[in-house]
């Protein structure tokens, strides 16, 4: 009985009320992104700067941006980035459906999580990359404007435009990217993104379940499952972020600087900044990914429980 009680129960796709799942999921994802976005912006600026030309680290960047650009500076590109809500829902749906499919061939939770996480990331990145390309160009404006090929028009030019411009800065960047690189410019760094986020996602889920299982064995019997999962999430995030950060640095440089070769970018990064260059933005990435993981785990697990089909509510105990 004790062992049965300590097992972490996993709610599968077929147990969910899909209407509740999607409506609550959008709110959860939006809240999470808003909370951690400043550190996503800081991570991008740290990764694309040469050496320590602008910032000495995560917190130095935070205070310099806040002082020079205000709170709005920490949220540059946020409105564009919210369109990744679409990819977020695609990710969750793909993850759950692939888990269900893989369960026909394997009962191993690690195998199901590894395969589902990788496939879900592939689908999500196909939607996310164009949004990331634009939002990252907006992120490095302000103090980091010398880091990119594209520059925003001055406020005076925008104000004297004959037509009222909606999403003026975003439109300005989109036009510049299209003129410089055509449609392919919006998928610049697509391969680098896949090489970053497929392994990241594929690693995160197995580590999350592994840490949750280990914690459940060490914790007191009456310790809430949700608390164990909330601790396992950040541990998995820190592990996955550390393992995949080198490729994330390469991805950011390819997309922001307009490079075309992942290998050439990697070689140049090593030649200019050594092995240290592969750790750039890691602390900001961990800082943003850990609370994200807590919110995702608590929110996602709670979301799934709230989305249980009515006839299954009494059969699940937490």
């Amino acid at each position: 009985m004790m062992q049965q009680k300590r097992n972490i129960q996993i709610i599968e796709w077929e147990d969910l009320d899909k209407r509740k799942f999607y409506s609550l999921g959008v709110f959860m994802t939006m809240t999470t992104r808003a909370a951690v976005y400043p550190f996503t912006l800081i991570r991008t600026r740290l990764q694309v700067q040469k050496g320590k030309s602008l910032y000495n680290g995560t917190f130095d960047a935070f205070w310099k941006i806040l002082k020079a650009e205000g709170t709005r500076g920490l949220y540059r590109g946020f409105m564009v980035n919210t369109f990744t809500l679409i990819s977020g829902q695609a990710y969750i749906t793909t993850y759950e459906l692939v888990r269900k499919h893989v369960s026909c061939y394997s009962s191993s939770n690690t195998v199901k999580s590894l395969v589902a996480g990788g496939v879900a990331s592939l689908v999500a990145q196909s939607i996310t990359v164009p949004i990331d390309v634009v939002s990252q160009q907006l992120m490095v404006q302000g103090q980091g404007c010398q880091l990119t090929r594209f520059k925003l028009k001055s406020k005076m030019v925008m104000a004297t435009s004959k037509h009222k411009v909606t999403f003026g800065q975003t439109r300005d960047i989109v036009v510049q990217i299209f003129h410089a690189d055509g449609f392919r410019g919006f998928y610049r760094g697509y391969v680098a993104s896949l090489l970053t986020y497929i392994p990241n996602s594929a690693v995160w889920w197995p580590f999350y379940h592994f840490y949750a299982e280990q914690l459940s064995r060490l914790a007191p019997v009456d310790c809430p499952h949700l608390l164990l999962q909330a601790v396992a999430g950040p541990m998995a995030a820190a592990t996955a972020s550390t393992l995949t950060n080198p490729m994330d640095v390469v991805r950011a440089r390819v997309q922001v600087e307009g490079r075309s070769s992942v290998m050439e970018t990697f070689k140049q990064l090593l030649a200019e900044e050594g092995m240290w260059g592969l750790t750039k933005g890691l602390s900001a990435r961990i800082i943003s990914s850990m609370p994200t993981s807590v919110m995702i785990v608590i929110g996602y697990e709670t979301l799934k429980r709230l989305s249980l089909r009515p006839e299954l509510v009494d059969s699940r105990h937490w």
Side-chain angles (χ1 to χ4, degrees):
M1 284 293 294
M2 183 178 293
Q3 181 61 36
Q4 184 178 6
K5 186 175 181 181
R6 296 312 306 154
N7 286 337
I8 302 262
Q9 297 188 51
I10 298 174
I11 300 173
E12 301 291 0
W13 180 251
E14 59 270 19
D15 299 332
L16 300 176
D17 178 331
K18 308 305 186 295
R19 185 173 60 181
K20 285 184 181 179
F21 183 71
Y22 284 117
S23 58
L24 292 172
V26 169
F27 174 77
M28 181 199 76
T29 306
M30 186 69 175
T31 303
T32 303
R33 290 185 185 280
V36 302
Y37 188 81
F39 288 101
T40 302
L41 180 144
I42 289 169
R43 180 195 76 194
T44 300
R45 292 198 184 185
L46 288 174
Q47 288 177 336
V48 299
Q49 73 172 351
K50 301 296 183 183
K52 296 185 178 180
S53 57
L54 281 175
Y55 312 112
N56 293 320
T58 300
F59 293 103
D60 179 57
F62 180 86
W63 292 115
K64 283 182 177 178
I65 295 170
L66 190 63
K67 183 177 179 181
E69 304 175 44
T71 304
R72 292 183 63 181
L74 293 169
Y75 280 88
R76 286 182 180 273
F78 177 70
M79 290 306 296
V80 178
N81 195 261
T82 58
F83 286 103
T84 55
L85 286 171
I86 300 169
S87 64
Q89 296 307 301
Y91 179 93
I92 291 172
T93 302
T94 305
Y95 177 79
E96 294 293 345
L97 288 175
V98 173
R99 268 187 67 91
K100 180 181 177 181
H101 181 73
V102 174
S103 65
C104 299
Y105 303 94
S106 174
S107 60
S108 170
N109 195 46
T110 300
V111 172
K112 288 190 285 187
S113 299
L114 185 71
V115 176
V119 175
S121 190
L122 172 63
V123 172
Q125 285 306 305
S126 298
I127 302 170
T128 299
V129 169
I131 301 169
D132 272 350
V133 168
V134 176
S135 65
Q136 284 181 139
Q137 293 295 341
L138 290 167
M139 285 179 193
V140 297
Q141 301 298 321
Q143 283 185 318
C145 63
Q146 72 270 27
L147 303 174
T148 176
R149 299 176 295 160
F150 307 116
K151 303 292 186 293
L152 290 172
K153 294 177 182 177
S154 67
K155 290 183 178 180
M156 184 175 295
V157 173
M158 298 288 284
T160 56
S161 175
K162 294 181 179 179
H163 306 286
K164 184 179 179 180
V165 180
T166 305
F167 285 98
Q169 293 186 338
T170 302
R171 184 177 178 181
D172 187 17
I173 289 294
V174 168
V175 169
Q176 289 186 54
I177 293 173
F178 186 76
H179 283 171
D181 302 322
F183 180 76
R184 292 182 61 184
F186 297 103
Y187 273 91
R188 185 176 293 280
Y190 179 64
V191 172
S193 292
L194 295 182
L195 293 175
T196 300
Y197 291 112
I198 289 180
N200 187 84
S201 181
V203 165
W204 191 95
W205 288 102
F207 270 111
Y208 164 59
H209 290 299
F210 170 76
Y211 289 136
E213 297 258 345
Q214 297 305 309
L215 290 169
S216 70
R217 294 175 184 174
L218 299 173
V221 175
D222 58 351
C223 183
H225 286 156
L226 192 59
L227 177 60
L228 299 179
Q229 292 167 322
V231 175
M235 292 173 68
T239 304
S241 295
T242 302
L243 291 174
T244 60
N245 195 73
M247 186 52 65
D248 194 43
V249 177
V250 173
R251 175 200 60 80
R253 293 202 170 193
V254 168
Q255 292 181 333
V256 173
E257 296 177 0
R259 299 175 181 271
S260 57
S261 171
V262 172
M263 283 305 300
E264 287 302 318
T265 304
F266 183 77
K267 290 177 182 177
Q268 185 175 352
L269 177 64
L270 282 178
E272 291 179 351
E273 305 188 43
M275 293 299 293
W276 178 86
L278 301 176
T279 67
K280 298 187 80 170
L282 177 58
S283 59
R285 192 173 180 214
I286 292 176
I287 289 171
S288 65
S289 66
M290 289 181 71
T292 300
S293 292
V294 172
M295 296 175 74
I296 285 176
V297 168
I298 294 176
Y300 186 58
E301 296 295 342
T302 303
L303 167 64
K304 290 175 77 173
R305 292 167 197 178
L306 291 174
S307 303
L308 268 173
R309 300 206 321 265
E311 65 270 22
L312 296 175
V313 171
D314 294 333
S315 67
R316 297 293 191 273
H317 303 286
W318 309 99

